Amino acid sequence: MATTLIELESLTTKSRFVTPVQKTNAGTFVVAGADSPLIMVDVNHQRNHDGRAYFAYRLNPTSSPLAANASINIVMASPAGVFPHITVDAFCQGDAEFYLYEGSSSTGGTAFTPINRNRNYAISNPSQSAMVINPTINTLGTELDGQIVPGGVGKKSGGGSAGSLEYVLKPLTNYHFRLTNVNGTSHAASLTLEWYE
């Protein structure tokens, strides 16, 4: 079968019948069909292509594990008009607890520049959100979520928690993400935030 190329008369003309078309890399439009199936991606994948997908992380590797009863803390805020859609991955080789707080206050910490997942936009489209890692937490704020992160037993122990449903964060509000090692011994751990704006 042949691929049918078309020229659109107008992108604003209303019509009774709609034929799905898509733009090719050459800038032409092609009718979707058996030879040129309509390409569909989920919204997270598209945001990555748009250069609007970001992540930030804190890793305590096996060479520098998270001490017993110690926490990884990340505080994040976005400016007016920016609503990060965020998921969290929390991992620890021993039992741990994850918490999310809204309206926290903190001082100090290490500034972290969010990383654009589409490296073609790393410079031209930085995240508008700001964050610090391991600040001093002055006020926890309102607890929004708490989860057990089971670690297991023995040499091959490990556990993690990852969410597929996003939180949509309010602008001009501090959010505190905390992973605490409650196992009683030091373990490798990581806390990763992934979002689009």
Side-chain angles (χ1 to χ4, degrees):
M1 294 181 82
T3 300
T4 305
L5 296 175
I6 62 167
E7 287 188 32
L8 299 181
E9 291 180 18
S10 171
L11 295 177
T12 59
T13 301
K14 294 181 182 179
S15 64
R16 182 177 295 236
F17 301 103
V18 177
T19 302
V21 297
Q22 60 194 6
K23 195 172 187 178
T24 68
N25 289 340
T28 58
F29 287 89
V30 61
V31 173
D35 289 338
S36 299
L38 189 61
I39 298 170
M40 299 175 70
V41 296
D42 69 22
V43 70
N44 293 332
H45 190 105
Q46 184 59 45
R47 296 297 182 262
N48 195 0
H49 281 276
D50 294 342
R52 296 174 47 206
Y54 307 93
F55 75 100
Y57 69 96
R58 168 64 185 176
L59 170 67
N60 283 74
T62 54
S63 60
S64 180
L66 186 62
N69 299 314
S71 298
I72 296 173
N73 294 288
I74 301 176
V75 175
M76 173 182 180
S78 60
V82 176
F83 305 90
H85 293 62
I86 192 166
T87 59
V88 181
D89 295 330
F91 296 95
C92 186
Q93 287 184 330
D95 291 342
E97 295 174 354
F98 167 77
Y99 294 95
L100 170 59
Y101 301 95
E102 181 179 70
S104 303
S105 66
S106 64
T107 54
T110 303
F112 187 97
T113 302
I115 300 165
N116 191 317
R117 284 199 170 278
N118 185 331
R119 304 309 298 150
N120 297 295
Y121 291 96
I123 304 297
S124 64
N125 194 28
S127 170
Q128 296 182 57
S129 298
M131 62 183 47
V132 290
I133 295 181
N134 289 333
T136 300
I137 304 300
N138 301 318
T139 307
L140 284 176
T142 303
E143 183 179 314
L144 298 180
D145 193 2
Q147 299 178 21
I148 300 295
V149 183
V153 179
K155 285 186 173 185
K156 296 184 179 182
S157 65
S161 174
S164 61
L165 191 59
E166 304 167 337
Y167 297 97
V168 180
L169 306 184
K170 293 191 302 189
L172 303 172
T173 305
N174 285 344
Y175 287 90
H176 172 202
F177 301 85
R178 171 178 277 175
L179 176 66
T180 302
N181 175 6
V182 297
N183 181 259
T185 58
S186 299
H187 287 287
S190 68
L191 184 57
T192 303
L193 310 179
E194 300 181 273
W195 73 95
Y196 61 87
E197 299 173 355

